[in-house]
Amino acid sequence: MSSTPAAKSDDDLYREGSQYRIWSFSQSELEEVRRSVNRIASEHLAHEHQMARSAERGGEEEGVKIEYLTEGEEYEMLLHYCVKVQDAAAVYKLPSHIKATAIQYLKRFYLKYSLMEFHPRNIMYTCLFLATKSENHFISIDNFVQPLQRVSKQSIIDLEFIVAQTLSFTLLVHHAFNPIHGYFLDLQSVFADRMDEIRSAHDRARRYANDSLFSDAAFLFTPPQIALAALMMANEGLMDAYMDVKFGQNAVLLRQLKTTTERIKSYIVEGGKPKIGSERALALERKLYVCRNPEKARKRFGNGSSSESLNDSAEPAAKRVKIEQEDTVMT
Amino acid sequence: MPDSGLQSRTGTSGTAASAAIKKRVGKKDRYSKDRKVGEGTYAVVYLGRQLSTNRVIAIKKIKVGQFKDGLDMSAIREIKFLSELRHENVIELIDVFVSSGTARSLNLVLEYLSADLEMVIKDRSVMFTAADIKSWMYMTFAGLYYCHRHSVLHRDLKPNNLLLSPTGHLKIADFGLARQQPGPYDPMTPTVVTRWYRAPELLLGSKIYTRKVDVWAVGIIFAELMLRTPYLPGQTDLDQLDLTFRAFGTPTEESWPGVSSLPDYFYDPEKTSAATAASDPKSGIYPPPTREQMRMQFSAASESALDFLLKMTTLDPAKRIDTKECLETAYFKEMPAPTPPERLPRLSAKNDSDPHVGSESEGVGKNLKREKVDEIAEREKRLGDVAKKLKF
Ligand SMILES: Nc1ncnc2c1ncn2[C@@H]1O[C@H](COP(=O)(O)OP(=O)(O)OP(=O)(O)O)[C@@H](O)[C@H]1O
Ligand SMILES: [Mg+2]
């Protein structure tokens, strides 16, 4: 037994956490993950559809070529659903950090599965439901589904297991909001005479942090880094002065931080831009419907347009999911 | 300064991406479930083995019937925090799995720990020394300091949640009530922590509280280790408050600024003001204990052990020491040195062979209940009257 606890830096602590260990990537890794998820799902669905057709017709056919979502389209839709999480969070009047956790759950989930395997609508509500619980803001399932249309209690309860499992049960998510608050307090002690300026920088930074939710920033950077970038965007002069006071002695670190925050800014700006419009969303929904249900789709949209609702089930498209739910206990 | 993670290099090793794909929901381990070893409010605990390694493990199966609203909140909290915490003195969460079958259930795979501190305290055939107590205290604070650095409040520390490994290592367990240190606008419920270990700010209904509630609880556990009987075994919340203030004095605006504005503070501010600090047991007002009284009560404690106890049980949470200061306190530096874990006393063979079946949990509590019931009823009534008078 040592007499003093091993001195660990805050960075060491962060690196021990699941957000760093499991959910941090470089830009190219992230792209590779999404590419493979998309490819595996497309191939898998193509195979299933092929099997279904040959079983049905008892022979091969000059199959209608099904268009699967590309990884880019999946990403567009994912962000579209992140916005929907935000809208839903507003219905329950949830605090920012719970909304942010739900959005991050959703984005993490779709690093493991394709939207073509699990339709994002019910996954999105499930992520929100799970986030309320893991952030200690319990809403009963009855109250939760009450304002929702076409979402059954059971589908959320069923998917909750799958979502939690897919997230490897790492439910703790760190956001930029807390470090923004920390910097806010620290700024006040450094520049006691600039209160108003600091307060408005804080408020604007929170909005930038919110914008960052609609980008990949949280996979690529740490919450304090994002917080710093958000504050820089909110008031560059103030933050330059602050960084000089704090890190002026360490030119290398200062330069590193500046480079990092510059990079993060571009993600925040991107995240703050309006997402796809309803027309594009409908087109993507339709494409998604077709590749999930080629047979039904052919009947329904046989030749061209239909304004019928795309009420897709959230059933897993692939059988693999069932295998993964199998009991692991042997008695 | 909130620089945790500021310098962390982002991005993981090159193979992470393909590994993420390959793993999908992670590789599966298999476990055997051999026999039931315990049962809590929301879980049944089984002894089992990890089949790939033959390692002995505990499976904590969350009770079904708790599933109307999906995954159980306590289970979510426990999983959420234990997934983040890795420390010699915090129980290891090895895996989590969902079992299907007739009723789907959530299972936590934990390291198997056959005993807990409560059993050791209650087992009259086990003798322990000041050095042993120091060792348990040190391990508790090492684990708790680590939790607190991760902004995790345990909120339910008590001897039965401090588990002991076969090598004598103490591990903090049962994170079903844990939560993150809340933000400034995020009040928490004050009704956490098993009553006997509940800090005065909670008893007084404070909704905003901190890591210091855990320090208080360990302070009370420290007293229990020295006395070998629960130190403040209150039977009701009001009784708990009374016992607490009897032991440490009734807080005043002078000793604890702001205390009189806490929701459940009903003492007469006139009587608790410095000018009239005279004790008035009829209205629940007690003076702080003198050093001599403390020495008599904890006759085996050294001066620095007493200092330590008083610092952990300082009523005003702002003045109570934090876990870092606890680890640096003189008590841990003076002789005797803490006993190395492997040399700590164990349960007697009788209790160790089947620790969870034979142990008379609540035995001590029940006796106390019987002995004290009249006295308590009396005190309750008195305090209830005071409370009524002042509130309306
Ligand atoms: N890791 C473990 N190894 C061995 N036994 C354990 C382990 N965890 C729990 N137990 C046993 O199972 C019992 C139930 O544990 P659990 O933590 O679910 O509830 P509890 O703490 O006893 O009660 P409550 O839920 O009211 O706090 C414990 O009292 C203990 O005897
Ligand atoms: Mg327990």
Side-chain angles (χ1 to χ4, degrees):
Chain A
M1 206 184 310
S2 58
S3 57
T4 45
K8 281 187 177 172
S9 74
D10 288 338
D11 278 279
D12 292 337
L13 289 184
Y14 182 74
R15 275 189 289 267
E16 286 172 13
S18 64
Q19 184 154 330
Y20 183 79
R21 282 186 292 111
I22 307 184
W23 302 107
S24 288
F25 303 88
S26 69
Q27 180 66 55
S28 61
E29 284 168 350
L30 199 56
E31 281 161 16
E32 194 196 325
V33 170
R34 293 214 174 96
R35 204 160 35 239
S36 332
V37 165
N38 176 267
R39 183 176 42 77
I40 290 169
S42 309
E43 285 172 6
H44 198 89
L45 284 175
H47 179 71
E48 291 222 327
H49 297 156
Q50 187 58 49
M51 300 280 281
R53 262 204 306 274
S54 40
E56 210 172 281
R57 312 266 151 79
E60 77 245 37
E61 188 184 315
E62 55 4 302
V64 194
K65 182 106 178 67
I66 298 167
E67 296 273 337
Y68 296 99
L69 289 184
T70 66
E71 63 196 85
E73 289 167 336
E74 289 209 52
Y75 191 61
E76 275 181 88
M77 276 194 95
L78 174 61
L79 292 182
H80 177 63
Y81 274 90
C82 289
V83 175
K84 289 190 175 207
V85 173
Q86 167 152 280
D87 297 343
V91 171
Y92 306 101
K93 301 194 170 52
L94 298 174
S96 318
H97 66 280
I98 303 184
K99 167 185 74 182
T101 296
I103 290 177
Q104 208 51 28
Y105 286 173
L106 187 69
K107 289 194 292 193
R108 288 175 178 185
F109 182 88
Y110 286 113
L111 290 182
K112 301 279 181 173
Y113 287 109
S114 156
L115 280 78
M116 296 181 282
E117 294 169 292
F118 286 95
H119 193 284
R121 186 191 314 102
N122 287 7
I123 295 295
M124 140 205 169
Y125 286 119
T126 307
C127 288
L128 191 58
F129 185 59
L130 187 57
T132 59
K133 286 202 245 175
S134 82
E135 297 284 1
N136 247 295
H137 188 104
F138 180 71
I139 301 175
S140 75
I141 187 69
D142 294 314
N143 290 337
F144 187 82
V145 296
Q146 197 257 325
L148 308 179
Q149 288 161 4
R150 306 201 317 247
V151 179
S152 79
K153 277 193 266 190
Q154 200 53 45
S155 70
I156 290 181
I157 303 270
D158 287 348
L159 284 170
E160 196 185 21
F161 272 101
I162 294 171
V163 169
Q165 208 172 13
T166 304
L167 300 178
S168 312
F169 294 98
T170 53
L171 300 176
L172 192 144
V173 185
H174 297 285
H175 305 296
F177 301 118
N178 269 346
I180 286 177
H181 187 77
Y183 285 122
F184 172 62
L185 298 179
D186 203 43
L187 278 163
Q188 292 174 44
S189 67
V190 176
F191 304 114
D193 50 342
R194 297 169 76 172
M195 250 330 278
D196 290 345
E197 209 185 335
I198 292 170
R199 194 172 296 120
S200 81
H202 164 267
D203 295 349
R204 299 204 2 238
R206 279 183 66 93
R207 288 199 290 277
Y208 286 125
N210 195 68
D211 288 348
S212 79
L213 299 173
F214 306 96
S215 76
D216 282 332
F219 289 129
L220 306 167
F221 305 97
T222 70
Q225 291 169 340
I226 297 170
L228 215 47
L231 281 158
M232 286 286 244
M233 289 172 77
N235 188 335
E236 188 153 4
L238 175 73
M239 290 312 287
D240 272 337
Y242 175 76
M243 304 252 287
D244 268 342
V245 173
K246 283 288 164 185
F247 311 110
Q249 315 291 29
N250 188 342
V252 180
L253 175 60
L254 189 60
R255 203 155 352 103
Q256 256 176 20
L257 285 176
K258 290 239 162 106
T259 321
T260 309
T261 46
E262 273 313 310
R263 283 183 59 209
I264 298 172
K265 274 187 203 172
S266 63
Y267 285 90
I268 295 180
V269 169
E270 205 46 47
K273 286 184 185 158
K275 301 295 168 246
I276 52 174
S278 52
E279 219 164 285
R280 174 77 178 143
L282 190 67
L284 288 174
E285 286 290 358
R286 194 159 149 192
K287 190 169 178 187
L288 177 58
Y289 184 89
V290 173
C291 65
R292 283 168 59 85
N293 312 278
E295 296 304 317
K296 278 199 240 166
R298 198 170 316 147
K299 281 169 208 147
R300 194 189 281 186
F301 311 115
N303 0 291
S305 65
S306 157
S307 57
E308 208 176 327
S309 97
L310 303 170
N311 195 358
D312 199 350
S313 83
E315 293 290 292
K319 287 193 195 95
R320 183 188 55 255
V321 175
K322 282 209 193 90
I323 296 163
E324 278 160 356
Q325 281 169 250
E326 248 178 27
D327 204 339
T328 42
V329 171
M330 304 196 331
T331 352
Chain B
M1 248 224 37
D3 49 3
S4 145
L6 202 53
Q7 296 177 53
S8 289
R9 204 180 48 80
T10 44
T12 48
S13 63
T15 54
S18 43
I21 300 297
K22 245 182 255 145
K23 279 168 79 182
R24 287 282 186 129
V25 299
K27 73 169 186 338
K28 288 279 178 149
D29 251 308
R30 292 185 151 261
Y31 305 94
S32 69
K33 199 159 78 182
D34 301 340
R35 66 183 166 89
K36 181 172 160 179
V37 291
E39 183 161 359
T41 28
Y42 81 103
V44 182
V45 180
Y46 299 90
L47 170 74
R49 274 174 200 281
Q50 184 171 44
L51 296 179
S52 59
T53 59
N54 215 29
R55 177 181 179 184
V56 175
I57 47 98
I59 297 180
K60 185 165 179 173
K61 182 178 176 130
I62 311 306
K63 288 180 184 171
V64 272
Q66 309 262 332
F67 277 105
K68 183 193 151 297
D69 290 298
L71 300 180
D72 179 85
M73 288 277 278
S74 299
I76 285 182
R77 280 192 285 260
E78 185 141 33
I79 293 169
K80 172 178 165 181
F81 293 116
L82 285 182
S83 310
E84 304 296 321
L85 302 172
R86 264 148 222 226
H87 189 272
E88 197 185 21
N89 301 115
V90 175
I91 191 168
E92 183 193 351
L93 176 67
I94 299 162
D95 196 3
V96 181
F97 65 87
V98 172
S99 59
S100 49
T102 42
R104 243 179 348 175
S105 71
L106 192 59
N107 297 263
L108 281 64
V109 182
L110 297 159
E111 63 182 310
Y112 182 79
L113 298 162
S114 57
D116 64 52
L117 204 54
E118 186 186 20
M119 296 173 186
V120 174
I121 292 173
K122 283 182 179 166
D123 186 337
R124 291 286 145 187
S125 59
V126 178
M127 298 296 157
F128 51 77
T129 64
D132 300 337
I133 294 177
K134 191 174 289 185
S135 180
W136 286 317
M137 288 297 287
Y138 190 85
M139 291 188 283
T140 305
F141 274 119
L144 190 59
Y145 171 67
Y146 176 84
C147 295
H148 285 182
R149 278 209 70 187
H150 277 268
S151 299
V152 176
L153 315 190
H154 184 282
R155 310 203 303 170
D156 194 18
L157 290 172
K158 53 183 170 181
N160 132 303
N161 285 341
L162 302 176
L163 304 188
L164 300 171
S165 81
T167 53
H169 287 88
L170 177 150
K171 318 243 175 182
I172 301 177
D174 211 340
F175 282 70
L177 278 175
R179 42 168 317 182
Q180 271 152 295
Q181 169 78 42
Y185 315 108
D186 187 9
M188 305 198 283
T189 161
T191 55
V192 296
V193 185
T194 306
R195 187 185 301 117
W196 296 351
Y197 307 92
R198 205 177 286 165
E201 61 270 30
L202 302 181
L203 294 169
L204 291 171
S206 171
K207 286 186 186 59
I208 295 169
Y209 56 86
T210 64
R211 305 157 211 235
K212 302 290 182 67
V213 300
D214 287 337
V215 173
W216 174 278
V218 182
I220 303 303
I221 295 170
F222 184 40
E224 181 167 339
L225 281 166
M226 294 192 282
L227 301 172
R228 292 203 68 162
T229 186
Y231 182 44
L232 304 174
Q235 300 299 314
T236 65
D237 289 356
L238 206 51
D239 182 43
Q240 190 66 40
L241 201 61
D242 194 53
L243 281 181
T244 302
F245 295 163
R246 259 180 205 229
F248 299 109
T250 306
T252 64
E253 272 301 316
E254 284 76 23
S255 69
W256 178 352
V259 67
S260 60
S261 25
L262 291 176
D264 297 336
Y265 188 89
F266 55 78
Y267 300 91
D268 185 346
E270 284 288 292
K271 286 194 175 135
T272 57
S273 78
T276 53
S279 119
D280 181 3
K282 276 207 197 74
S283 33
I285 295 170
Y286 308 99
T290 64
R291 190 75 179 187
E292 213 32 58
Q293 287 169 324
M294 293 297 286
R295 281 193 194 114
M296 301 236 300
Q297 196 171 12
F298 299 95
S299 49
S302 70
E303 288 302 302
S304 60
L306 277 185
D307 285 340
F308 188 33
L309 176 63
L310 287 170
K311 284 180 189 161
M312 288 185 282
T313 54
T314 301
L315 294 166
D316 181 354
K319 296 189 195 124
R320 197 177 304 147
I321 57 174
D322 63 25
T323 42
K324 184 160 191 284
E325 294 166 317
C326 285
L327 286 167
E328 289 160 356
T329 187
Y331 165 76
F332 286 121
K333 298 202 175 97
E334 73 173 8
M335 295 303 276
T339 311
E342 49 297 339
R343 299 226 313 266
L344 282 167
R346 306 292 160 79
L347 290 177
S348 56
K350 162 179 73 78
N351 281 345
D352 211 12
S353 59
D354 205 354
H356 305 291
V357 177
S359 85
E360 303 154 45
S361 63
E362 282 197 304
V364 173
K366 269 180 199 135
N367 288 341
L368 278 166
K369 246 179 241 166
R370 254 194 311 278
E371 279 167 34
K372 288 190 142 187
V373 76
D374 293 340
E375 193 195 331
I376 290 155
E378 158 102 9
R379 230 186 299 151
E380 261 300 87
K381 188 167 164 291
R382 205 170 58 221
L383 286 170
D385 288 347
V386 175
K388 261 179 230 136
K389 256 181 245 152
L390 293 173
K391 274 190 175 164
F392 301 103

